[in-house]
Amino acid sequence: MTTLAIIIVYLVMVLLVGSLSHRLSRGTGEDYFVASRSIGPFFLLMSLFGTNMTAFAILGGSGEGYHKGIGVFALMPSISALVIPVVFFFIGTRVWALGKRHGYYTQIQFFRDRWNSNILGLLLFVVSVALLIPYLLIGVMGGGITLHNITAKAVPEWVGAVLVTGVVFAYVCFGGMRGTAWANAFQTLVFMVLGATTLFIIVHKMGGLSGAIAKVQATHPELLQRGPARPGGKSLISPVRMLTYTCIPLSVGMFPHMFMHWLTAERAAAFKKPLILYPLCIAAVWIPSVLLGIFGAAEFEGLKGPAANYVLIRMIAKHAPTALAGLLCAGVFAAIMSSLDSQALSLGSMFTHDIVRHYGFHDRMSEKQQILFGRIFVFAVLALTFVLAQVTNRSIFRLGVWCFTGFAAMFPVVLAALFWRRSTKVGAIASVATVIVLWTFFFTKGWTNPAYTVGGTGVMPVVVILGASAAAMVVGSLVSRPPEATTVSKFFRD
Amino acid sequence: MNGRLPPWLLVVLLVLLYLLHNDIWFWSDARIVAGLPVGMVYHIVYCFAATGMMALLVKHAWPSHVDDDEESDG
C-alpha cells in the first residue's frame, strides 16, 4: 500500500502543477490549444521530449533490450538522437512560422490550406486518428499493467488505467496546452531523474556495473553485441535492419501532437536550445532503459514476447525498497502521462477545429465554443481509450512500431508542403492513399510475426512504403495542374 | 568569410554522421570499454556527436526567413 500511496501523492502533485497553469489562462481558443504561442525554450524542450518518450520507449525499450541486447540502443535511440532534432530543425521551425502567420492550431488546417483541399484534410484526419488511437491505448494499458505488477497484482489493471486517464483528463481539460506543457516539464524531469536513480540502485544491488555485466556475460553473452555470439549463430539485429530502421524516427514529422507542440513556441529562437539538447535527453532516458532490460535477462529467465515489456517493473520490485519502488513506478507513470496528455489534446483539437469548426461552423466559432468542444472531445477520446483498453489484447504493444511506420511513411507530404512549390493536392492525396494501401498490406503480413521484414531480407516495410509514398507525391504532382500562384505565395516568400 | 561554415560542408557532415550510425565494425565485438560493451559506448558517443551536429546547424544554417517572419509579425 505504501507504493500506491506514493503514486497517489505523485499524481496529486501533477494535478497541482497542471492546475497552477490554469491561473495564466486567457480564456481563448488560441490559449487553450497552443498556449497563446508563448512557450519558452525550457518548456519547449521538456514538452517535445516528454511527449516523444512514451510507455513504448520506457517499457518497450527495456523489453527489447531483454530480447535483443545492446543493439536496441543503436536501433532506436541513437538514430533518433540525430533524425528527430534534424526534423525539428528543417520542418518544425518552418511549421511554427507558417502556423503563426496563418493562425493554425492543427496539422490538418495547414495541409488543407496548403493544397486547397477538403478531401486531403479529411483523408489525413482519418489516417491520423486511426494511427494515433492505438498509440494512446499503449499508454493507458501501460499505466494499468505497471501498477498491477508493482503492487504484486494486488491492484487490478483497470485501477491504474483509471488513475492515468483521470489525472490526464483533469489537467488537460482545465489547463489546455499550457497545463500540458507544465505537467510535461515536471513529469519529464521526474522520469529522467528517477530513471538514472533506478539504474544506480539496481546496478549497486547487482554488485556494481562490472558485477552486472559479468552476470550477463555468464548467462546471455549474445546480448552484449549484435553479431552472433558463437560461430554459425544468428545476429540478434542485422545491419540491413538497423540501416532501414533509421526511417522510423521520421514519424515525428507527421505526428499531430508534435506539430501542435511546435506551434506553441514563443519565437523561432526558442527552438535553438531544445534542438541541441534533445540528443542528450534521449541518451539520459534510454541508457537506463536498455541496460536494465539487459541486466533483467540475467535475473529473470524465459520471459516470452511482450512479457519482457515488464522486466523493468520486475527489476524495480526485486531490487528497490518499497518506498523507492513507489517513486520509480511514479517515474513510469510520468513517462506515460507526458505523452498521453499531448496526444489526447491534439485529437481533441483536431475534432474541434478540423470537423466541428470547419464543417459545422464554417470556421466561425466563438472562443468559448472552441474551448468547450475541445474539452468535450478530450474527454471523449480518453473515455474511448479507457474502454478500449479494457477489451483489447496486450499484443496491442506490437502496434507501436506500426504506428510509427504509418506516420513516417507520410513524411513526403510534409516535406513537399514546405519545400516543393510545384507539389499539388493530387500528389498529396496519391501519397497518403499509397501509404494506406501498402501499410495495410504489410500490416496483414507482419502482425503475427514481430520479426517480419520485407521478403525476409531484413528491410523494414517502412522503407518500401516511404519510397512508394514519395514516388506517388512526385508523379501525382507532375501529372496534375500546377498550384495557383496565390496559394504558393501564401507559403513561400521569395 | 563571415565565420559561417558553408552549407555543402554541413551537408557532408550530416551525411557522414548518418552513415557512421551503422557501425558494422563493432557488430561482433563484445569488448568492455569504460564498463560497458563497446557497441553501446559507441552509440552513447554518437548521441554527443549528434548534439555537436545540431549545434553546428543552429549556428551556421539557421533558417533566417523564420526569424524574418517573427520580426514582421511582431
Side-chain angles (χ1 to χ4, degrees):
Chain A
M1 280 304 109
T2 311
T3 307
L4 193 58
I6 289 171
I7 289 169
I8 288 173
V9 168
Y10 169 74
L11 293 176
V12 170
M13 286 169 71
V14 172
L15 279 174
L16 280 175
V17 171
S19 62
L20 279 176
S21 72
H22 186 57
R23 301 167 111 192
L24 296 179
S25 171
R26 298 176 194 176
T28 64
E30 185 176 47
D31 195 68
Y32 188 77
F33 293 106
V34 290
S36 297
R37 306 180 204 271
S38 64
I39 300 294
F42 172 73
F43 282 104
L44 189 63
L45 170 65
M46 292 291 110
S47 298
L48 291 171
F49 179 65
T51 300
N52 240 356
M53 287 298 110
T54 61
F56 182 78
I58 306 294
L59 301 175
S62 53
E64 281 293 297
Y66 179 94
H67 289 304
K68 305 276 186 192
I70 62 161
V72 173
F73 191 82
L75 194 70
M76 298 178 189
S78 90
I79 191 61
S80 297
L82 179 66
V83 174
I84 291 177
V86 165
V87 170
F88 290 171
F89 180 84
F90 288 105
I91 307 286
T93 52
R94 286 166 173 83
V95 161
W96 171 84
L98 290 169
K100 190 176 181 197
R101 196 191 305 164
H102 300 300
Y104 299 134
Y105 296 158
T106 74
Q107 194 182 42
I108 307 293
Q109 285 177 325
F110 165 61
F111 289 124
R112 196 173 51 217
D113 216 15
R114 170 68 181 83
W115 285 301
N116 276 328
S117 172
N118 275 333
I119 294 173
L120 175 67
L122 276 177
L123 193 62
L124 275 171
F125 176 84
V126 171
V127 173
S128 298
V129 171
L131 287 173
L132 211 50
I133 289 283
Y135 204 2
L136 268 91
L137 263 176
I138 291 171
V140 173
M141 291 175 76
I145 299 168
T146 298
L147 194 59
H148 184 63
N149 279 288
I150 205 83
T151 56
K153 304 191 176 173
V155 178
E157 287 184 14
W158 66 265
V159 175
V162 163
L163 286 174
V164 163
T165 44
V167 171
V168 165
F169 170 69
Y171 70 77
V172 173
C173 179
F174 293 104
M177 175 49 93
R178 187 173 288 103
T180 301
W182 285 32
N184 266 352
F186 173 67
Q187 299 195 90
T188 304
L189 286 174
V190 165
F191 73 71
M192 285 173 83
V193 170
L194 291 181
T197 310
T198 311
L199 180 67
F200 180 80
I201 289 170
I202 293 177
V203 164
H204 179 69
K205 289 279 179 71
M206 290 179 79
L209 190 55
S210 56
I213 291 283
K215 281 185 182 172
V216 181
Q217 282 173 323
T219 53
H220 296 279
E222 72 280 4
L223 297 180
L224 302 178
Q225 61 189 63
R226 282 155 287 174
R230 295 170 195 85
K234 264 184 82 175
S235 290
L236 286 177
I237 292 170
S238 75
V240 174
R241 183 175 167 82
M242 195 159 101
L243 183 66
T244 56
Y245 209 96
T246 60
C247 296
I248 292 285
L250 291 175
S251 51
V252 294
M254 282 300 288
F255 279 154
H257 45 290
M258 297 309 286
F259 194 99
M260 197 174 63
H261 274 295
W262 293 336
L263 298 179
T264 66
E266 62 176 346
R267 54 203 158 87
F271 279 89
K272 289 183 177 177
K273 282 180 184 152
L275 288 171
I276 295 168
L277 294 173
Y278 198 95
L280 300 182
C281 291
I282 286 194
V285 168
W286 278 83
I287 292 170
S289 176
V290 174
L291 277 180
L292 288 172
I294 295 170
F295 296 157
E299 304 247 310
F300 301 100
E301 289 287 340
L303 299 180
K304 302 282 183 209
N309 287 333
Y310 301 99
V311 67
L312 178 63
I313 306 299
R314 287 184 174 216
M315 292 288 276
I316 291 171
K318 179 176 177 182
H319 290 290
T322 312
L324 196 58
L327 277 176
L328 301 178
C329 187
V332 177
F333 265 51
I336 290 170
M337 293 195 300
S338 64
S339 308
L340 196 60
D341 53 10
S342 304
Q343 293 162 342
L345 183 60
S346 72
L347 282 177
S349 181
M350 284 161 65
F351 275 107
T352 303
H353 293 106
D354 301 325
I355 302 297
V356 177
R357 185 180 173 190
H358 187 63
Y359 293 102
F361 289 78
H362 304 290
D363 291 326
R364 291 188 193 116
M365 202 177 193
S366 73
E367 304 290 345
K368 278 190 175 174
Q369 283 173 323
Q370 288 180 42
I371 297 172
L372 176 66
F373 275 103
R375 286 175 172 158
I376 290 171
F377 282 119
V378 166
F379 174 77
V381 164
L382 286 171
L384 174 70
T385 309
F386 174 77
V387 171
L388 287 175
Q390 306 313 304
V391 296
T392 307
N393 189 284
R394 281 189 192 188
S395 57
I396 189 81
F397 270 77
R398 281 195 226 144
L399 265 180
V401 79
W402 286 100
C403 294
F404 298 145
T405 297
F407 283 115
M410 289 194 290
F411 188 73
V413 176
V414 70
L415 201 63
L418 292 170
F419 294 98
W420 193 25
R421 295 170 188 229
R422 177 66 178 79
S423 61
T424 68
K425 66 180 176 188
V426 174
I429 290 170
S431 181
V432 178
T434 303
V435 172
I436 294 171
V437 172
L438 286 179
W439 186 92
T440 309
F441 171 76
F442 284 115
F443 180 73
T444 52
K445 282 185 165 283
W447 173 240
T448 51
N449 175 16
Y452 174 80
T453 56
V454 182
T457 56
V459 173
M460 300 280 293
V462 65
V463 176
V464 177
I465 312 177
L466 183 64
S469 153
M473 170 59 86
V474 172
V475 174
S477 295
L478 293 179
V479 299
S480 53
R481 270 180 42 201
E484 301 287 334
T486 48
T487 305
V488 172
S489 64
K490 266 182 84 175
F491 297 92
F492 296 91
R493 288 184 174 179
D494 290 316
Chain B
M1 187 77 183
N2 58 4
R4 284 167 76 96
L5 294 177
W8 67 265
L9 182 58
L10 291 168
V11 172
V12 168
L13 286 174
L14 196 56
V15 171
L16 191 65
L17 193 55
Y18 174 75
L19 294 176
L20 283 172
H21 180 260
N22 223 20
D23 59 323
I24 46 175
W25 47 91
F26 285 138
W27 218 262
S28 296
D29 194 336
R31 273 178 303 154
I32 303 299
V33 175
L36 291 171
V38 67
M40 182 139 183
V41 173
Y42 178 87
H43 283 279
I44 293 171
V45 172
Y46 189 90
C47 292
F48 282 87
T51 279
M53 185 71 235
M54 291 316 301
L56 286 177
L57 283 175
V58 164
K59 186 173 180 196
H60 299 283
W62 186 250
S64 53
H65 65 277
V66 168
D67 292 325
D68 294 344
D69 248 312
E70 189 179 334
E71 283 159 19
S72 65
D73 293 350

